[in-house]
Amino acid sequence: GIFGDLGIMYAAVYTIPTRIFMWSVGLTYFTEAPTKKELVKKVLTHPCIIAIFTGMVLLISQFQLPGFVNQTVRTIAGANTFCAMLLIGCTLAEVPFKEVFSKEVYYYTFIRLFLIPVIVLAGCRLFRIDSLITAVCVILSAMPAASTSSPCGQIWKRRPPGNEDRCLFHGRLIDHTSDLVLFPAVGDPVGLSR
């Protein structure tokens, strides 16, 4: 990677709260249950939550899985991005191209790809955080939003009310395209262009 092994470790640590939040609180938006107790049970026994806890145990214990298990997990993980992008592409193909460009999508893109990284950079500089940690945090905050939200909505047939579903899918297209332009602008202040 562009930050070396230490940067990869920082990136992994940076994403832990996001993953836990996404697969716990985020999952509750897509899970139906008659009671809160049933909802908590469904969320805690969801394969993604179990995977997070299994990964944390493996990280803390430093237990090494057999080679074939590692290879299987890597292969499945490599296919996830492709499958998510394929689903998004198929969904966007059904939408008239003019509808992709809306105020909501541009507003979301501005916040996600510019405002959040600027706030993260300002916070890191204010608290004099190490330059490598700052770079990792700013770059990760400038990445397009996780494409996981789109497949989740499709899998569980739950969609936000109103126009937000379209905004979500349209946002993926504008988000990823805009990142091609904004990423160098965000990378320059943290020293990636040097």
Side-chain angles (χ1 to χ4, degrees):
I2 57 176
F3 298 120
D5 289 341
L6 188 58
I8 290 171
M9 189 206 56
Y10 288 150
V13 170
Y14 179 90
T15 59
I16 288 172
T18 306
R19 298 293 178 243
I20 291 173
F21 187 79
M22 179 176 70
W23 290 114
S24 57
V25 175
L27 191 60
T28 63
Y29 287 98
F30 296 107
T31 306
E32 290 183 5
T35 65
K36 289 232 184 236
K37 184 177 178 181
E38 185 71 24
L39 178 65
V40 169
K41 181 182 173 191
K42 278 187 171 186
V43 169
L44 288 177
T45 58
H46 190 275
C48 294
I49 297 295
I50 293 169
I52 286 173
F53 288 122
T54 304
M56 290 174 87
V57 167
L58 292 173
L59 175 71
I60 292 166
S61 69
Q62 292 297 298
F63 178 77
Q64 297 295 317
L65 294 172
F68 74 94
V69 175
N70 262 340
Q71 186 57 42
T72 302
V73 170
R74 288 178 192 272
T75 302
I76 292 170
N80 280 340
T81 302
F82 169 76
C83 291
M85 293 299 134
L86 182 64
L87 176 63
I88 292 166
C90 290
T91 305
L92 283 172
E94 298 173 4
V95 176
F97 196 68
K98 287 181 181 178
E99 287 184 21
V100 173
F101 304 97
S102 68
K103 288 179 187 176
E104 294 92 2
V105 171
Y106 285 121
Y107 176 71
Y108 157 79
T109 301
F110 172 77
I111 289 172
R112 181 70 183 110
L113 299 182
F114 183 75
L115 190 59
I116 291 174
V118 167
I119 291 169
V120 169
L121 177 61
C124 287
R125 294 265 168 91
L126 177 69
F127 292 106
R128 301 184 196 285
I129 304 293
D130 176 74
S131 61
L132 178 59
I133 296 172
T134 298
V136 169
C137 291
V138 171
I139 295 303
L140 288 177
S141 70
M143 291 287 108
S147 51
T148 316
S149 53
S150 301
C152 282
Q154 290 290 319
I155 291 167
W156 284 288
K157 305 292 185 223
R158 294 281 309 268
R159 295 194 167 121
N163 198 32
E164 290 139 9
D165 183 44
R166 284 190 172 178
C167 186
L168 182 71
F169 285 105
H170 298 173
R172 296 288 85 65
L173 177 65
I174 300 298
D175 203 17
H176 284 76
T177 307
S178 299
D179 203 44
L180 295 173
V181 175
L182 291 174
F183 188 77
V186 169
D188 188 50
V190 293
L192 282 182
S193 62
R194 293 179 202 123

